[in-house]
């Protein structure tokens, strides 16, 4: 248990002082920009204000179902401006959406320099496939109807090794099944040096006010069966920052991570050595910040809502 | 690392001395009685000899796919006599086959006294259903075609809580899918006191000389998503012995567990405070017993093959 305390900001002058300290704002989305289907009040004004001040904005999300292109539609539906440039790697520098599917593709291409003659076996949906395509990496599995089937009990004849598979990438897949698990297990255990990568390790996925098994849970059978420790890309893991820095140019010292989740967003900022700001519009409430059950993960700053910064826009 | 050493038996008089010490012989099957499709040489004679000496024999297997009735067919195919009495609980005392599906059913009925008006949600196949039926426990899921489907990505409308579910039982299921995981997650997290039980936690399942994800891996998404620790019935866990003792009458002090796997069979014997005998016809080899990489799990006795005891039958 640490004695470090977060600084609580409530006054317009405190908000203004904070903004002056940073050039780049990394935002988590659900719980910060919107909560489920509802935009957090004031957020449109806040984002417009940040842009008018010349701040860099990046939306950093663990959601592995969606490509940046697909994620942009969520922003569009709220009337929020977010850029996506879907051409060469060089031109994504202004790209504002950074999801764990894209981060995994960047990790493979820029960090691992994944060989052009090798393929990635995907447990995941369209979003991951789109992002692998965007960086020119070959893949199998994913949405292939051949793998969206049940194999008869006890019949392993469809499971054969493919030595061209150099990595298994697991994200969120509503069509997960035994064939996919058995193929991925076979590739990881038979192909020397086969990478085992998770887009993210979130245990649950929120939908309609309830929680369901998330990406981190979907990949759990492979962690058990292969006994291999996967490389996890999404928040709170440092690979997420490593991939953002591989695709974007900014000074981490003048960067702040803004999120609603202590164990993903805030821990990600801490693991990445950047300043952190917690908002209370999502999964974290006052009770998590003090008292006996308080978390060991302490943000630098806390505000009630990122929308509260809109007061600075109104003053203009 | 322990300094305890296993006693290696190689001579007929050593085999005879061992037999005299025990009345009840608990056998693992694959790797002991047979290896894949091949009967271990001498085993038919050894089992006949044990029976002629009035020994109790129990085949204790983690295989959760099969009911006792289904497992008996495997014995029949090798020409090995094994009793199955499929009527009331009282009459299973002479029953020689004890699988983790049956053990789970016994655990629910005899140990937990599972309420008659509650249902078990099954992730598993026919074998588990047969065993739950044999002890009169209500269940849903399992082989129901309604749950052997893929639900559309992002559509959680088919997932509703059912407050009559009092336990989730996970075994081996080649038809596992997101709907099953989401339903099981919902029952475990919404129904107060809902039991979370695994037939066994074997990470892999051997088939045709290769390994594939096993029961313990199939249930891993629920361990991650619910953050609940399941009750594990199969070897090496003590619940397996607890359920055997609930169904059979014997003296543990004159009982020996015979198996090929240090981490399931032998550890099960140690956890259950009974004598253990390792055979080298399965997954464990000389290299696991000495040198730097030796296991911390040390059996009381080691023999090359249980079939070697046939020398005693020939002498008669």
């Amino acid at each position: 248990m640490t004695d470090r305390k977060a600084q609580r900001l409530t006054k317009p002058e405190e908000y203004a002082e904070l903004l002056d300290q940073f050039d780049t704002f990394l935002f988590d989305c659900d719980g910060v920009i919107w909560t489920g289907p509802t935009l957090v009040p004031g957020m449109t004004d806040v984002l417009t204000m940040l842009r008018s001040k010349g701040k860099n904005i990046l939306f950093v999300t663990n959601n592995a179902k969606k490509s940046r292109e697909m994620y942009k539609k969520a922003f569009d539906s709220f009337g929020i401006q977010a850029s996506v440039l879907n051409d060469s790697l060089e031109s994504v520098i202004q790209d504002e959406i950074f999801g764990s599917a894209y981060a995994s593709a960047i990790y493979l291409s820029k960090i691992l320099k994944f060989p052009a003659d090798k393929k990635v076996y995907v447990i995941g949906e369209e979003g991951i496939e789109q992002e692998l395509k965007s960086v020119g990496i070959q893949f199998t599995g994913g949405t292939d109807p051949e793998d969206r089937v049940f194999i008869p009990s006890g019949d392993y004849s469809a499971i054969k090794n493919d030595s061209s598979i150099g990595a298994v990438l697991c994200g969120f897949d509503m069509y997960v099944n035994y064939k996919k698990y058995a193929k991925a297990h076979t590739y990881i255990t038979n192909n020397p040096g086969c990478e085992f990568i998770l887009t993210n390790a979130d245990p649950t996925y929120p939908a309609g006010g309830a929680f369901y098994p998330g990406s981190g849970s979907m990949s759990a059978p492979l962690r058990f069966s292969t006994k291999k420790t996967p490389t996890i890309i999404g928040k709170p893991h440092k690979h997420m920052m490593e991939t953002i820095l591989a695709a974007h140019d900014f000074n981490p010292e003048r960067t702040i991570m803004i999120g609603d989740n202590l164990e993903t967003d805030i821990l990600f900022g801490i693991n990445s050595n950047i300043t952190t700001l917690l908002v209370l519009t999502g999964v974290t409430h006052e009770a998590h910040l003090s008292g006996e059950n308080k978390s060991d993960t302490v943000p630098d700053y806390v505000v009630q809502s990122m929308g509260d910064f809109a007061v600075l826009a109104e003053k203009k």
Side-chain angles (χ1 to χ4, degrees), chain A residues 14 23 33 85 89 101 115 149 214 230 232 282 305:
Chain A
E14 291 171 333
D23 301 325
I33 312 284
L85 304 176
L89 264 182
V149 294
I232 306 170
S305 165

Side-chain angles (χ1 to χ4, degrees), chain A residues 275-292:
Chain A
T275 304
T276 55
L277 169 62
L278 178 77
V279 298
L280 300 177
T281 42
V283 296
T284 307
H285 305 290
E286 292 287 353
H288 302 109
L289 300 179
S290 58
E292 277 197 19

Side-chain angles (χ1 to χ4, degrees), chain A residues 27-312:
Chain A
F27 281 97
D28 179 44
C29 298
D30 198 14
V32 180
I33 312 284
W34 56 75
T35 55
T38 313
L39 192 67
V40 168
M43 275 316 298
T44 309
D45 289 345
V46 170
L47 292 171
T48 304
M49 175 194 65
L50 290 173
R51 287 202 176 86
S52 74
K53 289 181 184 289
K55 307 290 189 186
N56 299 319
I57 294 174
L58 271 177
F59 302 102
V60 180
T61 168
N62 271 5
N63 188 315
K65 273 176 79 170
K66 293 177 178 154
S67 65
R68 291 160 296 157
E69 195 66 47
M70 293 159 81
Y71 219 73
K72 187 176 183 310
K73 295 204 175 81
F75 283 89
D76 291 343
S77 73
F78 288 120
I80 298 171
Q81 179 203 334
S83 321
V84 181
L85 304 176
N86 54 2
D87 21 48
S88 74
L89 264 182
E90 276 58 48
S91 65
V92 296
I93 288 172
Q94 291 304 313
D95 193 330
E96 289 184 339
I97 299 172
F98 210 91
S100 68
Y102 180 52
S104 300
I106 295 283
Y107 180 78
L108 280 157
S109 73
K110 290 261 200 179
I111 315 280
L112 290 185
K113 320 266 185 221
F114 192 72
D117 60 338
K118 290 277 185 184
K119 278 180 270 184
V120 173
Y121 183 73
V122 175
I123 295 183
E125 303 186 1
E126 289 84 351
I128 292 177
E129 294 181 331
Q130 284 185 12
E131 296 298 14
L132 289 173
K133 271 184 204 149
S134 81
V135 299
I137 284 178
Q138 294 192 75
F139 60 87
T140 66
T143 61
D144 187 343
E146 289 269 312
D147 281 4
R148 285 186 167 183
V149 294
F150 299 115
I151 52 178
S153 192
D155 178 1
Y156 292 87
S157 60
I159 314 303
K160 290 181 176 63
N161 191 32
D162 175 350
S163 61
S164 74
I165 304 288
V168 167
L169 173 59
C170 294
F172 192 77
D173 190 343
M174 294 278 276
Y175 300 87
V176 78
N177 59 65
Y178 194 83
K179 186 180 185 184
K180 292 191 180 204
Y181 286 136
K183 285 178 86 166
H185 174 92
T186 300
Y187 303 144
I188 293 169
T189 54
N190 282 274
N191 292 345
C194 184
E195 300 283 342
F196 176 25
I197 302 168
L198 312 187
T199 56
N200 61 312
D202 296 32
T204 53
Y205 181 82
F211 288 91
Y212 301 99
S215 301
S217 299
M218 290 298 89
S219 58
L222 296 173
R223 298 168 82 157
F224 263 64
S225 70
T226 67
K227 295 193 170 78
K228 305 251 174 166
T229 305
T231 300
I232 306 170
I233 303 298
K235 298 174 286 183
H237 297 273
K238 65 179 172 51
H239 290 302
M240 193 72 163
M241 183 56 86
E242 195 183 6
T243 54
I244 298 174
L245 285 167
H248 291 272
D249 187 21
F250 59 86
N251 176 4
E253 287 182 18
R254 288 191 55 87
T255 298
I256 188 166
M257 175 69 212
I258 302 156
D260 69 315
N261 189 317
L262 288 169
E263 302 316 322
T264 54
D265 304 319
I266 302 306
L267 193 54
F268 166 68
I270 292 169
N271 289 343
S272 307
N273 279 317
I274 64 171
T275 304
T276 55
L277 169 62
L278 178 77
V279 298
L280 300 177
T281 42
V283 296
T284 307
H285 305 290
E286 292 287 353
H288 302 109
L289 300 179
S290 58
E292 277 197 19
N293 296 320
K294 80 168 182 176
S295 170
D296 280 354
T297 303
V298 181
D300 295 302
Y301 301 100
V302 182
V303 295
Q304 184 59 42
S305 165
M306 202 55 210
D308 295 348
F309 282 71
V311 68
L312 301 180

